Amino acid sequence: ALALGAHDGGAQSVPAVSADLTAGAGSTSTHAGDTWFRTANAAMVSADLAVRIGGAGRTRVVVVLGYSLDVAPGDHLTDCPLAPNGGCKGYFPNTFGPSIGVGLRQALGQRGLVGVTAGVASYASQARFAEVDASWRLVSHLAIVGEFRYIDMPFGGQRAWFLPLTVGARLYW
């Protein structure tokens, strides 16, 4: 008979502190109410600092403080592409500014880490977000990370959404 056994191979703990720097892009809503947007996609660059709550362990609660950077500064008033309703198409609301969230992270073996986070952000307006992330440790204290986020914010009396997929680096201690 063949017996199979589970072995965690010395699984890591959720890091006490980690810092991410990621960049990417994703789709957006095409309009919010009577405001039509120029494109149905946007870019995002963000930095996050996650702090583990409690002692070492494979599954832990984290508090995540973040800041998304302005990646599209400049003149937004020089032209007026026509929207389906006859007005000018506008730019998608700004998605740069601070955020805070609470989440859960789970260590997977010696190199993997996955997490889910939900929180609020102060972008063009007060936004809500939910995020899943995964990282893979390359060397001591350095991992590659990917994040998929859903952002929902009020705009013009309606709601606008943004679904960025970002990749980058995670440093942890």
Side-chain angles (χ1 to χ4, degrees):
L2 178 64
L4 298 174
H7 177 63
D8 69 4
Q12 70 176 342
S13 174
V14 171
V17 177
S18 65
D20 299 354
L21 181 60
T22 60
S27 59
T28 66
S29 49
T30 56
H31 68 283
D34 289 335
T35 302
W36 289 80
F37 304 124
R38 291 171 179 248
T39 62
N41 54 59
M44 176 173 255
V45 174
S46 62
D48 295 325
L49 179 69
V51 178
R52 180 185 71 212
I53 304 300
R58 292 190 59 190
T59 304
R60 290 294 179 257
V61 172
V62 292
V63 173
V64 181
L65 304 172
Y67 194 87
S68 295
L69 306 170
D70 186 2
V71 294
D75 181 8
H76 287 189
L77 303 173
T78 57
D79 61 357
C80 176
L82 287 178
N85 63 0
C88 293
K89 286 187 177 181
Y91 285 87
F92 190 76
N94 293 330
T95 55
F96 62 89
S99 64
I100 186 168
V102 175
L104 192 64
R105 289 209 174 146
Q106 167 76 46
L108 299 176
Q110 294 180 331
R111 296 187 179 271
L113 191 65
V114 294
V116 295
T117 305
V120 295
S122 182
Y123 296 150
S125 59
Q126 290 297 95
R128 304 175 294 201
F129 72 89
E131 168 183 297
V132 294
D133 66 76
S135 64
W136 187 258
R137 183 170 50 95
L138 300 173
V139 295
S140 181
H141 305 290
L142 176 65
I144 57 171
V145 63
E147 300 172 346
F148 182 70
R149 185 178 281 201
Y150 172 79
I151 300 169
D152 176 78
M153 68 183 90
F155 184 80
Q158 301 292 317
R159 310 272 330 154
W161 54 263
F162 180 29
L163 294 170
L165 174 62
T166 59
V167 295
R170 172 175 283 166
L171 297 172
Y172 56 91
W173 301 266

